[in-house]
Each structure stands twice: as structure tokens, then as C-alpha cells.
Amino acid sequence: MNKNSNKIPVIHHVAILGAGVMGAQIAAHFANAGIKALLFDLPADQADKSATARTAITALAKQKPAPLARASFCSRLTACNYDDDLEKLRDCELIIEAIAERRDWKIDLYHKIAPHLSANSILATNTSGISISSLAEGVPGSLRSRFLGVHFFNPPRYMQLLELIAHPDTSSHVMNQMEAFFVSTLGKGVVRAKDTTNFIANRIGIFSMMTTLHHAQRLGLNFETVDALTGTKIGRPKSATLRTADIVGLDTMRHVLQGVIDNLPDDPWADIFAIPDWLNKLVEQGSLGQKNRQGIYKKVKSEILVFDPATGDYRKRKVKIPRKVEKILKDYKNPQRLTALRAINDPHAEFLWAIHRDTFHYSAHLLEQIANNARDIDFAIRWGFGWKQGPFEIWQFSGWQKVARAIREDITARKTPSPTPLPEWVDTIESPHSEQGSWSASAACYQPRSSLPVYQRQRWSETLLGEAIPQHKTLFENEATRFWLTDNDIGVLSFKTKMHTIGDPVLNSLQQAVDLAENQLRGMIIWHPDEPFSAGADLKSFMPVAMKSILPGNTALDDLLKRFQQTCTRMRHSDIPVVAAVKGLTLGGGCELMMQTDRVVAALESYIGLVEVGVGLIPAGSGCMELARRASLLAGEDDLFPHLKKVFEVVAMGKVAESAQQAKEYGFMRESDIVVMNKHEVLHAAIAQVKALDAANYRPPPKTRIKAGGIAAIANFKGAMVNMHAGHFISDYDMKIGEYIANALCGGAIDTGTEVDEEWFLRHEREGFRALIKNLKTHARVKHMLDTGKPLRN
């Protein structure tokens, strides 16, 4: 590992000690990042002593959500045991201990492995709450400066937050190196937490969950109503409160609560953390939540039932929220929402005010003890619990001093669970976040963002309320897009449409941007500050044009499809390098646009696919042609059919790649395309790609003819569909759509191996699309998608 703290450490080998669910998934995420990992566990009592770890690695491929971005990444993991393989630790730059939360077991393990580590190895413990200083006392002296705490959130691949915790002897160089490594190489949002019980996210997040349960019980609200009120309506995940507990695991939640009870008996809110009888009952009977499909909720056939503490059994859900409360909640951008709820004499409104008030109160009380500044608390809750805004952001948005006065009134009136006064610093500031930085209660000043060089790679980092937004020169802007300048000579086109859908205004802007870039700039990037990359064509504006096409002689649809195709393919044929910088959903027309760029830079967590079959259509923005072109290039002089078969299955089944790595397997991305672990580094990497292509005297790739699968390949695909139809795997209409897909991918009824130009394939795309758009079953699929956001298979 390099010793220059200004560089991101290059780590080639890691070891994970502990092959439980968490340890195995941490190892999997290192594999996602291209790092070989040794997964250790106790020796099994059988011939294969590494059987325990080997079983854990095998299980990774079956888990949902998938810990591995590509199933083949399992090959980067090696099963080990403590009897035979300790010497392998000498080659590991980083060792992460992830065994059970027992201090004595952890310290025993440190002493066992210490003689086998190299002089520069870093040892980290993945603990959710044991004091790092307490554990450091048991670490051999020479290793102590290279020992720290890392707290991954579950599941490690998907949860952005990673808490980094030092003890007094941890080297600042090691902390800086590890922060840079976890941010860039593993794609994490790193927060440095103070060494206190449950650190930052769990301390505040679990408190928020428990005060929610406290007020729900006090006001007589059932579990399902609590979840209806504390999910997306208030800027939190769909899983809300109780469903989140099921996802985390009720046994894990109880363990965290027990840690607070054992270690924080003097917490002024200690009563809030009391473990409910119903939680003990569920855990003791083995109802642990999502991990065994029964917890607070359970699914019986097609119905979701909820646990009722009053009866000790499951029942149907019953939710009823007063209209006056719903009306306030709908206006999400109104900063007066909380004070409006406080003014209503209704238990649902009182509940919502109380759970926010208590979380603000607790966060302010703890800021000096647990975090360096308000930013770290807000990001910890955003990244660890999925809130759109952290508690200090919500408080600031709702009126800092106005809400503070309301909290004091409630404290005086003894409406709060604790009589603890708000800290004095609350009165001394106008807001916790500003352009100067975020408030630090311990330093009594605003602290700016970290100056570590790794953050220079985040050209447009995630901002908090009150922080300055990056400013760049605008080249042109309209209702649908903005084309702006970065690095003086590279243009960035950002969509402003809902879900970044593509309609005529976006197509026009793409053409205008390429015109401008070809004349004045070094290259062009398609990138948006927010997700997704693009949900595809704008169906709402598309359908009126499509309906007119039914009329004899009307060419509006064909003209629109041609414009879509010509705009997409122009990205590849333009005189300047065009790079797609992708994060999040990239579907349908968005995927087609992406595939036509010279290079794709995609965040690992990008979900990419041609899903037109779900609305009864086929890709007709150049997607079929591009997949056929790539199949032809890959086949060369070899048999074309295996390459076409692979992409036909992907398109006909509407498969969506569940990572950028899987998008390479499916053919949507090329092996030469770039996968970035941290989504905030996508723009930085895209800029680097434009510069590299330009520096190599970029010229557009020459137009080549495409070898067609023709009649023979179409016949093969039809035969396969007949078998699937006979097995009831696809409907009559699925089979009809599949035939049009086969026709477009194979170039129609021509001899196999015939070489034709791109326009030949593009014409077959349009013909298939036009034929399907006239069918009432397609209309039903489109309507269902627009109404529900879900595909209809009719």
C-alpha cells in the first residue's frame, strides 16, 4: 500500500475474519471492487477445514439483494480457516475482523493473528457499538497505531454509510488513508464518528425508531399506520419504521437496544430505549424479520399481515389517516409543515410533530458528544437510514429558531420524554449548515468539508441544505435541459425532465449540444446531478403522436422514431468524443442513448436495460441495431448465432442488469467501459475519459456493415418461443412481441450472414414498433405502466 496520504491507497489483498452474513457480504463487496479477499472462519470438524467459509461464499450467489455485482466475482474470494491459513495474512494490506460482538473473543483473535501480519498491515474491527478504545487495549502494542473501527451498514454493497472510528493511538495517517480508500475504492460515504456507544447513525436512528414507537403507543396508533406516516410522506424510505426493523433484523435491533441499556444508563432518554415486550416475544419465537420472512410483518399467500401486540397474533392491516393530515403531508416543499401539524388537534398530527421534535432534541443534545459537526450526523442518517434529509436539515428547513422555541415550550409543558434543556449553542447560530460549513458544538465554530484529496474527485458532491451548489458557465438552457461547461472546454448536458425521460425537447437539445461541441469544445458528457440517468422515452408525450400514426398517410410516428434513432447514433458518429456518465436507472431509450456514446462511465449501482417489452413494444431508438452490431463485431469470422441468442434472451425477457458489471454481461456495456464504485466520482471519471480520447486524436469509428442473423436465426428464436409458450412461460402477446424483436435483431428475412448497413436494421426496428403500437394490448400495457409504474403481461 502506498504511503503518500495524498493518494488513494492501492490495496490488492484483504482478509475478512468471520464468515457470518455480515463478514461474507463485506468480502463480496471487496470482490465487487476488484480486490481479492480471504474469508476466514473457525476450522470445520471435517476433512475440509474451510468448509464454513466455503459455504458462506457459495451462499452469496443465492442471496437477494445480490451481494455480488457479478456472480463470477466469487472467484475473487478464498475460503480460509484459522488452523491452516494464518500465514496468508502476511500478504494482506487490510484485515477486517467481523466476528460476534464479544470483546473477549475479538481480543483473543487479535493476539492469535498479530504474529502473522506484515509491518504495515492495518487491522480494523467491524463493530456496531463496542468501544474502539476498549478493544485497542487488547491489541498488541506494535499494531495499536494501525488499529481502528469501521462500521459497515447492512447490506454492505448497497448501504452507502461507513463509520470510521479512531482510538487515541490510531495514526492520523492511517485514518486518512482508510477514509480515502473506503470513499473511492469501495464507494462509501464515510463519516468519522467519536468513540461512543452505537456511534452516530445507530444512536440517532434507533432513537428515532424508538421515540416513534413510544408516541405510537401513547396515541394509540397501530403499526401499519405508523409505517404509512413515517415513510415517503416525510422523506424517509418506503420501509418506514417497522418494515425497516424487519429488514435490519429484530434480533439485531434488540442487540443494539441492549447495548444502549447496558452502556448508557444515565442517558436522559434512557426510558425510550426500553425493549418492548412484543419485540422480545417475536425474537424469542424466532420471528426475526426479513431474514426468515416473518417478523412484524409476514406474507400469507398474496396478503401482507401485521403483528398485533394486543393479541400476540397477526391480522389484516388497517390504515386510516385524516384528510387534513394528508393535505399537509402532500405539500412536501412547505417549510411550515411541522408547525402546521403541531397546531392540529389530532393524534396523527401530534404523533408526527412529536417524533420530529424528539429527534431534533436528542440530536442537539448529543452533537458535542458523538460527532464532529452537524454535517456528520445528517449524512450518517441520510446514508445509514435512507432519509432524504438529516434531522438538522429538516429542523433548519422548518425554521431553526421557530422550531427551537416550540421545543422549549414543549419541554416547559412536560410534553417531551426528557426535561433536558436544549444546549445553549442552539441560540447562538442561525442555522446548523451554511456556506461556511456545518456547526461543531465541540469546537464552537462552523467546520468546512474535509480537505482530503479524495474529495476533489467528487466534482458535484452530495450537498446539504444551506451549502453552496457548484456554479458553472451555462452554454444554453431550456425547460428540458441545461448544457454547461466544465474544465473550460468540455460540455455537460444535463436533463431536467421528470425521471430524465427523453422527448422531442431533449432530442433537440442533444443535437444542439453536439453542434456546439463540435465547433467549440473538446468533447461532451451526458450527466445529471441527480438520479436516474434516464427512465427512457417520455411515454406521455409519445402516445399522442403514436395514436395519430394509426390514421392513413400520417408519418408523425415514423418521423419521431427516425429523429430518436438519428440523435442516438449521432453520439457515436460525431467528430468529438461523447461520454455517458451513468448512475441509477437507465432504461429503454435511456439505455439506447447510453449505448451509442463512445464510452460509458457508470456507477456500480446502475440498473440498465431495454424494457420496452413491458409496454408491449420493441426497442426502436437504435437498441436492436446496436446489439446486432456488437454481436457481429464479437463474432468476427465465427458463428454469429450464440452472440445473437444471448442478446435476444435479454431483450425479449426485458431483463434489467442489476449492476453496471452485470450490464457488461448483458451486452449493454462494453468491457472497455468504466465502472466506478462511488457514484459521486462518475463525472470526474467521465471528464478524464473525454480528455484521454481527445488526447489520442479522437476520430469517430468508421461506419461498418453488420452481419445479419437472417432467416435461420429468426426461425431458431421462434422455435424457442413456441416451447416457452407451450410451457406457459410467455403469453400469446409476449410471443408476438418476441417475433418482432427477433426480426429487428436479425435484420429480417434475408440470408444468414448477409452484410447490411445500420439503416437496414433501424428500419426493421421502426416497422416492428409501428406494428405493435396499433395493437390494443400494447395500449393496455402502456396505460398500466403510466398508471402504476409496473409492467402488465397480457
Side-chain angles (χ1 to χ4, degrees), residues 41-146:
D41 212 299
L42 295 169
D45 189 19
Q46 58 188 79
D48 178 9
K49 286 189 178 181
S50 299
T52 303
R54 203 177 311 283
T55 299
I57 292 171
T58 302
L60 290 170
K62 303 173 185 175
Q63 292 172 14
K64 294 291 182 183
L68 291 164
R70 208 165 173 171
S72 60
F73 288 173
C74 258
S75 64
R76 296 173 179 171
L77 305 177
T78 302
C80 297
N81 69 84
Y82 298 120
D83 277 1
D84 302 331
D85 301 309
L86 288 179
E87 274 303 311
K88 294 178 181 178
L89 292 174
R90 207 167 299 280
D91 295 328
C92 295
E93 297 101 325
L94 174 63
I95 296 91
I96 297 179
E97 168 268 306
I99 67 171
E101 293 283 79
R102 282 274 302 267
R103 180 179 180 274
D104 53 340
W105 291 359
K106 289 176 184 285
I107 290 174
D108 284 348
L109 183 57
Y110 302 157
H111 282 276
K112 185 171 185 175
I113 66 170
H116 304 278
L117 305 185
S118 75
N120 295 315
S121 295
I122 294 171
L123 174 63
T125 175
N126 179 62
T127 176
S128 60
I130 297 177
S131 166
I132 305 304
S133 297
S134 170
L135 289 171
E137 292 170 2
V139 174
S142 62
L143 184 56
R144 196 168 296 153
S145 67
R146 291 174 279 121

Side-chain angles (χ1 to χ4, degrees), residues 203-204 207 268-269 356-371 373-374 377-378 390-393 395 400 403-404 407-408 411 420-427 429 432 439-442:
R203 185 75 177 274
I204 302 295
F207 171 83
W269 282 263
H356 282 90
R357 174 202 65 204
D358 291 354
T359 303
F360 300 160
H361 191 182
Y362 195 62
S363 299
H365 171 74
L366 286 178
L367 177 57
E368 183 174 358
Q369 301 173 38
I370 69 173
N373 51 58
I377 284 183
D378 279 348
F392 286 118
E393 284 185 286
W395 185 350
W400 181 254
V403 170
I407 295 173
R408 288 195 187 91
I411 294 171
T420 303
L422 283 174
E424 292 180 3
W425 62 260
V426 171
D427 285 330
I429 63 172
W439 182 255
S440 169
S442 54

Side-chain angles (χ1 to χ4, degrees), residues 211-233:
T211 197
T212 296
L213 296 178
H214 165 77
H215 289 297
Q217 182 177 8
R218 179 177 68 84
L219 295 166
L221 304 185
N222 61 30
F223 285 168
E224 60 270 38
T225 298
V226 168
D227 274 358
L229 287 169
T230 60
T232 55
K233 293 180 190 298

